[in-house]
């Protein structure tokens, strides 16, 4: 592949929109080990929040995925590859990005919980204002 093709593929990795609507891979090979990403996500999603016993496993998986992403990106930057091999790396990196996005979202509360928290905060502010006005 020539330099312009390499730059085109590397720019695809920079676009965050590349993962929008993409599928989470069933499995990823990370550091030579196959990880069943979908099963892990479904397992964690069934729980109410991430228990401490699973936090280290979650963080470890995220670190491994980030290392794998970096290695694949560096391979695209440095190695003499065909365009087809480069495109395959881009697809795999996008799968890693999609999996990372999903894993990051496990710790975030859902929309309903966010709205509930916002309503509680607003009610507290209103109550505080009413207390100030009453005094």
């Amino acid at each position: 592949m020539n330099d312009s093709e390499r730059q085109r593929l590397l720019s695809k990795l920079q676009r965050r929109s590349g993962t929008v609507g993409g599928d989470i891979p069933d499995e990823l090979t990370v550091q030579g080990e196959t990880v069943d990403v979908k099963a892990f996500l479904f397992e964690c999603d069934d729980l109410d929040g991430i228990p401490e016993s699973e936090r280290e496993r979650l963080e470890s998986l995220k670190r491994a995925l980030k290392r794998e992403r970096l290695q694949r990106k560096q391979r695209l930057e440095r190695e003499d590859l065909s365009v087809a091999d480069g495109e395959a790396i881009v697809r795999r990196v996008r799968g890693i990005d999609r999996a990372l996005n999903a894993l990051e979202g496990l710790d975030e509360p859902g929309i309903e919980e966010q709205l509930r928290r916002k309503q509680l905060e607003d009610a507290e502010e209103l109550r505080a204002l009413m207390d100030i006005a009453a005094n």
Side-chain angles (χ1 to χ4, degrees):
M1 114 176 55
N2 64 35
D3 285 340
S4 67
E5 290 167 331
R6 186 180 312 275
Q7 289 307 312
R8 179 183 61 81
L9 292 174
L10 286 168
S11 72
K12 282 185 172 185
L13 295 182
Q14 300 301 332
R15 288 187 222 130
R16 286 285 152 202
S17 62
T19 62
V20 174
D23 291 330
I24 298 170
D26 292 330
E27 296 179 338
L28 286 171
T29 302
V30 179
Q31 310 293 301
E33 182 181 330
T34 301
V35 177
D36 190 347
V37 178
K38 275 195 176 176
F40 182 80
L41 286 168
F42 285 126
E43 180 182 322
C44 289
D45 201 34
D46 285 342
L47 305 170
D48 285 336
I50 305 298
E52 284 303 315
S53 61
E54 291 296 313
R55 275 200 193 282
E56 180 53 37
R57 188 171 152 210
L58 173 64
E59 293 304 317
S60 176
L61 179 56
K62 288 193 297 191
R63 284 190 303 271
L65 287 170
K66 288 175 184 177
R67 277 192 307 274
E68 187 70 24
R69 184 192 194 286
L70 178 62
Q71 288 175 350
R72 290 178 189 214
K73 180 181 178 236
Q74 288 173 340
R75 183 171 175 227
L76 182 60
E77 289 172 333
R78 298 175 183 162
E79 291 184 20
D80 185 25
L81 303 166
S82 69
V83 174
D85 288 342
E87 291 281 356
I89 288 174
V90 169
R91 282 191 303 278
R92 286 187 210 111
V93 168
R94 283 188 170 167
I96 290 171
D97 289 344
R98 183 66 184 103
L100 279 168
N101 288 342
L103 291 170
E104 294 290 341
L106 288 175
D107 272 341
E108 296 174 10
I111 296 292
E112 297 85 13
E113 180 61 19
Q114 289 176 18
L115 287 173
R116 188 186 71 74
R117 288 179 185 178
K118 178 68 174 137
Q119 287 174 334
L120 288 173
E121 288 173 17
D122 290 348
E124 277 296 314
E125 284 181 34
L126 181 59
R127 191 179 62 77
L129 287 171
M130 291 174 65
D131 288 344
I132 292 171
N135 291 329

